[in-house]
Amino acid sequence: MKCIYCQHTKLYELKSGQMKCAKCKKKFSEKKIKTDLKIMEYFCENFTVNEASKKLFINYITLKKRYEFFRQLIANYLEKAYQNKQIIEYDEYIYLEKSKKKVKENIFDAQNFLTLAYDDKVYNLLMPNLNKYKNQFLDNNIEEVYFKEFSKFMMRNKISKTKKRENRITQFWLFFEESILKYKGVGSENFFYYLKEIEFKFNYSKEMQKEILAELYQNSL
């Protein structure tokens, strides 16, 4: 085994079970790293936290924290990967959970994002959330007026620059709608990271996902 920090081959095993590098003097837990890599594999294979927890016999909360950490790594990676890319086309999308669509007031819970296509990939820009205005409109009993006006606005002012109806962007939206269902509800405060996870999995094959995430993980140690 090599040192995860400097790749030196001479390591010492400490009483705590950790390994210490003879060159850089840094310590690390081989067991923890192996566990994280296994969790990473389940993450890329689209296992939910609950499913992975049962398969790996690891505490649910522990798994949840690792998944959240992986999503943060992915989000940062995608932001850097997108820089200085030439945009081919873009279009706007509004997502609202199916169970909420029948109630007009739930329009405030909708997530609005702009999907941009470049090369053979997509990049998503999350737009400001309307939820913070919800109580104000409900308290003033003007949610019905707002709902109608918002609907008109979206029909007349939709941001779009696409060449055809079926394209890389619409393919992503279908992938997104299918992927988001397994989470059975995503809070507004975490939606960005789930959106980026789905973007990552759409842009890269499973093998590429594992390679990229493993490298990001190693660099984070």
Side-chain angles (χ1 to χ4, degrees), residues 26-51:
K26 291 184 178 180
K27 304 174 186 178
F28 62 92
S29 170
E30 182 182 5
K31 182 179 178 181
K32 181 180 182 301
I33 290 172
K34 285 183 177 180
T35 299
D36 277 347
L37 291 175
K38 193 64 180 177
I39 295 172
M40 195 182 301
E41 183 177 339
Y42 275 68
F43 176 86
C44 293
E45 290 292 341
N46 296 318
F47 283 82
T48 64
V49 173
N50 190 46
E51 291 169 341

Side-chain angles (χ1 to χ4, degrees), residues 84-97:
N84 301 318
K85 299 296 183 182
Q86 184 175 357
I87 302 305
I88 300 172
E89 48 192 2
Y90 51 85
D91 207 345
E92 186 180 23
Y93 194 73
I94 295 179
Y95 168 72
L96 185 63
E97 292 176 41

Side-chain angles (χ1 to χ4, degrees), residues 12-20 27-29 31:
Y12 298 99
E13 185 173 0
L14 305 176
K15 290 183 179 180
S16 62
Q18 288 184 307
M19 304 301 292
K20 183 176 180 180
K27 304 174 186 178
F28 62 92
S29 170
K31 182 179 178 181

Side-chain angles (χ1 to χ4, degrees), residues 23 67-68 72 84 99 110 112 131 148 175 184 203:
K23 184 179 179 180
Y67 268 46
E68 289 172 351
Q72 290 171 1
N84 301 318
S99 61
N112 185 22
N131 194 265
K148 290 180 180 179
F175 182 80
K184 298 179 181 179
N203 284 342

Side-chain angles (χ1 to χ4, degrees), residues 74 77-79 81-83 85-91 113-125 162 167-176 195-204:
I74 286 170
Y77 173 80
L78 292 174
E79 294 301 308
Y82 167 71
Q83 291 180 9
K85 299 296 183 182
Q86 184 175 357
I87 302 305
I88 300 172
E89 48 192 2
Y90 51 85
D91 207 345
F113 56 88
L114 191 63
T115 303
L116 304 94
Y118 69 94
D119 300 333
D120 195 35
K121 297 179 175 62
V122 298
Y123 171 82
N124 292 281
L125 181 63
T162 54
N167 50 51
R168 196 64 175 159
I169 291 175
T170 55
Q171 289 171 5
F172 169 75
W173 291 344
L174 290 172
F175 182 80
F176 167 83
L195 175 63
K196 287 299 173 179
E197 175 191 343
I198 297 171
E199 177 184 318
F200 179 70
K201 291 180 175 179
F202 179 80
N203 284 342
Y204 301 99

Side-chain angles (χ1 to χ4, degrees), residues 38-71:
K38 193 64 180 177
I39 295 172
M40 195 182 301
E41 183 177 339
Y42 275 68
F43 176 86
C44 293
E45 290 292 341
N46 296 318
F47 283 82
T48 64
V49 173
N50 190 46
E51 291 169 341
S53 176
K54 292 177 180 178
K55 292 277 187 180
L56 296 171
F57 302 101
I58 298 176
N59 178 269
Y60 178 89
I61 299 300
T62 300
L63 260 293
K64 185 173 182 291
K65 289 180 179 179
R66 299 321 286 162
Y67 268 46
E68 289 172 351
F69 176 61
F70 295 156
R71 291 187 183 109

Side-chain angles (χ1 to χ4, degrees), residues 152-164:
K152 290 179 185 178
F153 173 81
M154 292 311 301
M155 290 180 66
R156 296 174 184 172
N157 301 278
K158 193 175 189 312
I159 302 171
S160 179
K161 183 192 175 186
T162 54
K163 298 177 181 177
K164 55 184 179 181

